[in-house]
Every structure is written in C-alpha cells, then in structure tokens.
Amino acid sequence: MINNPWLHTTDLCRYYRRGSQEVRALDGVTLAVERGEFLGVVGSSGSGKSTLLNLFAGLDTPTSGSVEIQGVPLASMSRRQLAGYRAQKVGIVFQSFNLISHYSALQNVETALYFNNTAPKDRRRLASAVLEQMGLADRMMHRPSDLSGGEQQRVAVARALVKKPEVLFADEPTGNLDYDNSRQIASLLMSLNHSGLTILMVTHNLEMAQECAHRTIKMQYGAIIRDGSANLRGSEPS
Ligand SMILES: Nc1ncnc2c1ncn2[C@@H]1O[C@H](COP(=O)(O)OP(=O)(O)O)[C@@H](O)[C@H]1O
Ligand SMILES: [Mg+2]
C-alpha cells in the first residue's frame, strides 16, 4: 500500500457502445502510482492500455470510478483546473509522434508553452534548451519530414518535457522505431526517471518494460492481471 500516491484510481471502468454491443475497454482497474516511479504497462492489443493512459491524462472520462491526482479527483476539477493539469503537470508522448508537419522541431516544442503562462519571449529559449538536451541542437530548424523516426520521437519527448511536467505518459513510444532508436529512447526515459520524473509507459515490448520500469503491470480484457516487479513471463493465473 502506497501512502500519498501521485495518482490513485479505484475500480476504474470505461465502456464503449459499439452498435448493440458494449465494449468493456477498462473493467475495474485499481492502481496507485508513486511519485518518482517508472511504471510499465504491457498487454496485448485491445487490452485497454491506451484507454487507461487517456483517462489518467484527462483526455477521456470514465464510465465509473475516479482518477485522483494527489488526492484530487479529476472529475471534481473545473474545466480551467483540468486544462491546467494537462498543460502543466502532464507530458504525453505517442507512438505516432503527433508533430505538426509544417512546423520546425523548435516550433513544435514551443507549442507546448502556448497554454502554460510562459511569456512569449521565453518560449524559444526554453524550447532550444530542451532540444539541445535531447541531442538535437543541429536539427532545430528541420521539419519532421526531414528528421529520422528516432529524431522525431526525441522532438516529441522535448515537447512533452519543456513545460517541466511532474509525470510523463508514454503510449508505445518506441512502437514505430527500429532497435537502435528504441534503445536510445529507452535510455533517455530511464535517465529522465533517474532525475526524478515519474513515468508511465505503455509498451508491447516486455523486455523494454522490464529493463526500464520499477514495476510492470499486465493488462488483459480491461483488467490488471499482474502487478509487480516479478517476471511477467511466467504462466498466467488460472
Ligand atoms: N472510441 C472507441 N469506441 C469504441 N471502442 C473503443 C474505442 N476506443 C477503444 N475501444 C476499444 O476498447 C478496447 C481497448 O482499446 P485500447 O485501450 O486502445 O487498447 P490497447 O491500447 O491496449 O491496444 C478495444 O477493444 C478497442 O477496440
Ligand atoms: Mg494502444
């Protein structure tokens, strides 16, 4: 049991209606995440991993159950507070990078500062500093199409980090990357976690989860079927 977790959820459910069918994307998830933790989320396609991260990030609302951030339910926040949560406390990285194609790397990173009270004159300086930290000093003026997949994902990580979030949510951050670039992103995430960033990472790659994460949960049919630092490769509970 964790005292004062950063994130806490009890019996979280998200059902979708598809025609006459009910899809239980999440079906009773109870989870606590501690500040400073690196949590891996694994499970086959359709098991509810993205649904879970989207609820945590306040991008979607649950059918029942609640998500509490530092003791405050997201559902109790005003629109303004929720926008503040997303703009300041949370950074998100997706599998598909989601960069704006006609913006340079620098402009893409600056966009994260439009909504968090950063003075316009400071945006460029902060964005370049994070891009430099990501090893992209000589790529700042390039558009996404002129960057490799690994570089694009590092721009996306820079965009997530420039607002100095408390938590990074990463949904299959290496899903579109080859082995070498996946390794680079994995070590980048580990070093960010060592410097204090709380990370929740969804991945298909069990080895990567076990290498990076302190704790890995495994999802199936919208529920957590394993939770722990133990090896997840063993037989499933019957
Ligand atoms: N907007 C939606 N409408 C209907 N069903 C959805 C929607 N989003 C996700 N689902 C369904 O919910 C389940 C979990 O999806 P998802 O969280 O994306 O899984 P994962 O990320 O583990 O692959 C899947 O069966 C998926 O088809
Ligand atoms: Mg997904």
Side-chain angles (χ1 to χ4, degrees), residues 88-232:
Q88 282 156 28
K89 290 204 176 191
V90 170
I92 311 179
V93 175
F94 301 95
Q95 172 174 353
S96 50
F97 320 137
N98 290 3
L99 299 173
I100 299 172
S101 60
H102 59 278
Y103 276 9
S104 67
L106 185 60
Q107 289 170 318
N108 265 285
V109 177
E110 285 180 76
T111 58
L113 299 174
Y114 292 172
F115 306 106
N116 82 343
N117 305 325
T118 305
K121 65 178 175 45
D122 294 328
R123 288 181 194 147
R124 184 138 299 197
R125 180 177 55 77
L126 292 169
S128 353
V130 184
L131 282 164
E132 249 172 65
Q133 193 195 334
M134 297 295 124
L136 293 168
D138 56 351
R139 294 283 185 278
M140 291 193 204
M141 298 306 163
H142 292 253
R143 290 183 180 187
S145 57
D146 297 328
L147 299 172
S148 73
E151 287 169 339
Q152 290 182 59
Q153 193 57 304
R154 279 185 282 149
V155 174
V157 173
R159 180 183 54 188
L161 293 179
V162 71
K163 53 191 173 179
K164 300 197 168 40
E166 294 179 16
V167 168
L168 183 74
F169 294 122
D171 193 349
E172 307 273 8
T174 63
N176 282 350
L177 301 180
D178 61 20
Y179 180 79
D180 286 342
N181 281 304
S182 297
R183 300 287 329 148
Q184 260 193 21
I185 294 291
S187 31
L188 173 61
L189 294 180
M190 279 190 284
S191 80
L192 291 166
N193 176 250
H194 285 145
S195 350
L197 186 68
T198 307
I199 300 183
L200 270 77
M201 177 180 71
V202 164
T203 176
H204 261 87
N205 187 334
L206 185 57
E207 269 160 36
M208 179 168 158
Q210 286 178 332
E211 181 188 345
C212 297
H214 302 134
R215 173 161 73 113
T216 300
I217 61 173
K218 182 169 185 183
M219 303 210 35
Q220 194 175 62
Y221 300 121
I224 297 175
I225 58 163
R226 291 287 182 88
D227 183 343
S229 49
N231 194 331
L232 291 171

Side-chain angles (χ1 to χ4, degrees), residues 38-74:
F38 194 141
L39 180 75
V41 182
V42 301
S44 52
S45 178
S47 58
K49 306 179 300 295
S50 295
T51 304
L52 189 68
L53 276 199
N54 290 340
L55 289 174
F56 289 173
L59 299 173
D60 187 15
T61 48
T63 305
S64 63
S66 76
V67 179
E68 288 180 17
I69 304 299
Q70 294 165 310
V72 181
L74 285 182

